[in-house]
Amino acid sequence: MSTIAGSARIHAMAVVEDGAVIGEGVSVGPFCHVGPKVVLHDNAELLAHVVVTGRTEIGKGTRIFPMAVIGGDPQSVHHGGEETTLTVGENCTIREGVTMNTGTADFGGKTIVGDNNLFLANSHVAHDCRVGNHVIMSNNVMLAGHVTIEDRVILGGGSAVHQFTRVGRQAFVGGLSAVSYDVIPYGMLNGNPGLLGGLNVVGMTRAGIDRAVIHTVRRAYKAIFEGSGSIRDNAAAIRDEYADCEPVMQILDFIAAESDRALSSPTRGQKG
């Protein structure tokens, strides 16, 4: 039997299956379909023609626009019908035609989306992805399975992120870019193949990072990507020098972490 709060508004032409949990102030518009294992937290809103299915949890204040399908089975040949999950955080805006899938059993079975994110029309979050907070995915952005998107990343329209790739905090990916390799925090990547073109200085400035700190990060970036050694060796060599600069340390920790993908650079993947 469904648990529906007294202040929830369910349109007469919506379907809420037995077992769903509907919080206070939730609005479910016409022709929406809410599955039996769905939880809609307080003040969530499904406008119209929205499908929320699977074992899916939608956070407080999140708004979902028409034709979105949230919590569908993972698009993976390895999925055998296991019960996996999708969690979407608070105050997200999920625009028309967005799709988000649950996880796969072989990799923990969880797709996790954070708070205060904006997903523009027809963007896609695949199985086992981890999306942070304050992320913007523009129209038609595609995340393959197992992608990690850290906080405050902006992904330009039509960009595609390869499976198992990481995109670091406050990086910027230009429209129609192919993200085949990990992108460092505060990095700026453009093109197909995607090449690292420097730092997201505009984003750093808007975030209130001091100009002197930005100049420090620029010096570190140059040492990492223009030094005589490999990227990882160059990064390790400057760790002590930049120990008191948090953004640089975030970049160095990102580079040092284990990953299934190589690191994007100004030249990796470039032909010729």
Side-chain angles (χ1 to χ4, degrees), residues 67-72 75 86 94-101 122-126 137:
M67 311 311 295
V69 180
I70 309 300
Q75 298 177 87
L86 166 67
I94 300 173
R95 292 303 301 256
E96 295 83 356
V98 170
T99 51
M100 297 183 181
N101 296 157
N122 300 305
S123 54
H124 175 66
V125 178
M137 284 178 48

CSV table of all heavy atoms in Angstrom, one decimal, residues 67-72 75 86 94-101 122-126 137:
chain,number,residue,atom,x,y,z
A,67,MET,N,8.3,14.2,-19.9
A,67,MET,CA,9.0,13.2,-20.7
A,67,MET,C,10.3,12.7,-20.2
A,67,MET,O,11.0,11.9,-20.8
A,67,MET,CB,9.2,13.7,-22.2
A,67,MET,CG,8.0,14.3,-22.8
A,67,MET,SD,6.4,13.3,-22.7
A,67,MET,CE,6.9,11.8,-23.6
A,68,ALA,N,10.7,13.1,-19.0
A,68,ALA,CA,11.8,12.5,-18.3
A,68,ALA,C,11.5,11.1,-17.8
A,68,ALA,O,10.4,10.8,-17.4
A,68,ALA,CB,12.3,13.4,-17.1
A,69,VAL,N,12.5,10.2,-17.9
A,69,VAL,CA,12.4,8.8,-17.4
A,69,VAL,C,13.5,8.6,-16.4
A,69,VAL,O,14.7,8.5,-16.8
A,69,VAL,CB,12.4,7.8,-18.5
A,69,VAL,CG1,12.3,6.4,-17.9
A,69,VAL,CG2,11.3,8.0,-19.5
A,70,ILE,N,13.1,8.5,-15.1
A,70,ILE,CA,14.1,8.5,-14.0
A,70,ILE,C,14.0,7.2,-13.3
A,70,ILE,O,12.9,6.8,-12.8
A,70,ILE,CB,13.8,9.6,-13.0
A,70,ILE,CG1,13.7,11.0,-13.8
A,70,ILE,CG2,14.9,9.7,-12.0
A,70,ILE,CD1,14.9,11.4,-14.6
A,71,GLY,N,15.1,6.4,-13.3
A,71,GLY,CA,15.2,5.2,-12.5
A,71,GLY,C,15.0,4.0,-13.4
A,71,GLY,O,14.7,2.8,-12.9
A,72,GLY,N,15.1,4.1,-14.7
A,72,GLY,CA,15.0,3.0,-15.6
A,72,GLY,C,16.2,2.0,-15.4
A,72,GLY,O,17.2,2.3,-14.9
A,75,GLN,N,21.3,0.4,-19.0
A,75,GLN,CA,21.5,0.0,-20.4
A,75,GLN,C,22.8,-0.7,-20.5
A,75,GLN,O,23.8,-0.2,-21.0
A,75,GLN,CB,21.4,1.2,-21.3
A,75,GLN,CG,20.1,1.9,-21.2
A,75,GLN,CD,20.0,3.2,-22.1
A,75,GLN,OE1,19.7,3.2,-23.2
A,75,GLN,NE2,20.3,4.3,-21.4
A,86,LEU,N,18.8,4.1,-7.7
A,86,LEU,CA,19.1,5.5,-8.1
A,86,LEU,C,18.7,6.4,-7.0
A,86,LEU,O,17.6,6.4,-6.6
A,86,LEU,CB,18.4,5.9,-9.4
A,86,LEU,CG,18.4,7.4,-9.8
A,86,LEU,CD1,19.8,7.8,-10.1
A,86,LEU,CD2,17.5,7.6,-11.0
A,94,ILE,N,15.4,18.8,-13.3
A,94,ILE,CA,15.6,17.8,-14.4
A,94,ILE,C,14.6,18.1,-15.5
A,94,ILE,O,13.4,17.9,-15.4
A,94,ILE,CB,15.3,16.4,-13.7
A,94,ILE,CG1,16.3,16.2,-12.6
A,94,ILE,CG2,15.4,15.3,-14.8
A,94,ILE,CD1,16.0,14.9,-11.8
A,95,ARG,N,15.2,18.6,-16.6
A,95,ARG,CA,14.4,19.1,-17.7
A,95,ARG,C,13.9,18.0,-18.6
A,95,ARG,O,14.1,16.8,-18.4
A,95,ARG,CB,15.1,20.2,-18.4
A,95,ARG,CG,15.4,21.5,-17.6
A,95,ARG,CD,14.1,22.1,-17.1
A,95,ARG,NE,13.2,22.5,-18.1
A,95,ARG,CZ,13.0,23.7,-18.6
A,95,ARG,NH1,13.6,24.7,-18.0
A,95,ARG,NH2,12.1,24.0,-19.5
A,96,GLU,N,13.2,18.5,-19.7
A,96,GLU,CA,12.5,17.6,-20.6
A,96,GLU,C,13.4,16.5,-21.2
A,96,GLU,O,14.5,16.7,-21.7
A,96,GLU,CB,11.8,18.4,-21.7
A,96,GLU,CG,10.8,19.4,-21.3
A,96,GLU,CD,11.3,20.7,-20.8
A,96,GLU,OE1,12.6,20.8,-20.7
A,96,GLU,OE2,10.5,21.6,-20.5
A,97,GLY,N,12.9,15.3,-21.1
A,97,GLY,CA,13.5,14.2,-21.8
A,97,GLY,C,14.8,13.6,-21.2
A,97,GLY,O,15.4,12.8,-21.7
A,98,VAL,N,15.1,14.1,-20.0
A,98,VAL,CA,16.3,13.5,-19.3
A,98,VAL,C,16.0,12.1,-18.9
A,98,VAL,O,14.9,11.7,-18.5
A,98,VAL,CB,16.6,14.4,-18.0
A,98,VAL,CG1,17.7,13.7,-17.2
A,98,VAL,CG2,17.0,15.8,-18.4
A,99,THR,N,17.1,11.3,-19.0
A,99,THR,CA,17.1,9.9,-18.5
A,99,THR,C,18.2,9.6,-17.5
A,99,THR,O,19.3,10.1,-17.7
A,99,THR,CB,17.2,8.9,-19.7
A,99,THR,OG1,18.3,9.3,-20.5
A,99,THR,CG2,16.0,8.9,-20.6
A,100,MET,N,17.8,8.9,-16.5
A,100,MET,CA,18.8,8.5,-15.5
A,100,MET,C,18.5,7.0,-15.1
A,100,MET,O,17.3,6.6,-14.9
A,100,MET,CB,18.7,9.3,-14.2
A,100,MET,CG,19.0,10.8,-14.4
A,100,MET,SD,18.9,11.6,-12.8
A,100,MET,CE,19.2,13.3,-13.3
A,101,ASN,N,19.6,6.2,-15.1
A,101,ASN,CA,19.4,4.8,-14.9
A,101,ASN,C,19.9,4.3,-13.5
A,101,ASN,O,20.8,5.0,-12.9
A,101,ASN,CB,20.2,4.0,-15.9
A,101,ASN,CG,19.7,4.2,-17.3
A,101,ASN,OD1,20.4,4.0,-18.3
A,101,ASN,ND2,18.4,4.6,-17.5
A,122,ASN,N,17.2,16.3,-22.5
A,122,ASN,CA,17.7,15.1,-23.1
A,122,ASN,C,19.1,14.7,-22.7
A,122,ASN,O,19.8,14.0,-23.4
A,122,ASN,CB,17.7,15.3,-24.7
A,122,ASN,CG,16.3,15.5,-25.2
A,122,ASN,OD1,15.4,14.8,-24.9
A,122,ASN,ND2,16.1,16.7,-25.9
A,123,SER,N,19.5,15.2,-21.5
A,123,SER,CA,20.8,14.7,-21.0
A,123,SER,C,20.6,13.4,-20.4
A,123,SER,O,19.5,13.0,-20.0
A,123,SER,CB,21.4,15.7,-20.0
A,123,SER,OG,20.5,16.1,-19.0
A,124,HIS,N,21.7,12.6,-20.2
A,124,HIS,CA,21.6,11.2,-19.8
A,124,HIS,C,22.7,10.9,-18.7
A,124,HIS,O,23.8,11.2,-18.9
A,124,HIS,CB,21.8,10.3,-21.0
A,124,HIS,CG,21.9,8.8,-20.6
A,124,HIS,ND1,20.8,8.2,-20.1
A,124,HIS,CD2,22.9,7.9,-20.6
A,124,HIS,CE1,21.1,6.9,-19.8
A,124,HIS,NE2,22.4,6.7,-20.2
A,125,VAL,N,22.2,10.3,-17.6
A,125,VAL,CA,23.1,9.8,-16.6
A,125,VAL,C,23.0,8.3,-16.6
A,125,VAL,O,21.9,7.7,-16.2
A,125,VAL,CB,22.7,10.4,-15.2
A,125,VAL,CG1,23.6,9.8,-14.1
A,125,VAL,CG2,22.8,11.9,-15.2
A,126,ALA,N,24.1,7.6,-16.9
A,126,ALA,CA,24.0,6.1,-17.1
A,126,ALA,C,24.2,5.4,-15.7
A,126,ALA,O,24.5,6.1,-14.7
A,126,ALA,CB,25.0,5.7,-18.1
A,137,MET,N,24.6,20.0,-16.4
A,137,MET,CA,24.7,19.2,-17.6
A,137,MET,C,23.8,19.9,-18.7
A,137,MET,O,22.6,19.8,-18.5
A,137,MET,CB,24.3,17.8,-17.4
A,137,MET,CG,25.4,17.0,-16.6
A,137,MET,SD,25.0,15.3,-16.2
A,137,MET,CE,24.3,14.6,-17.8
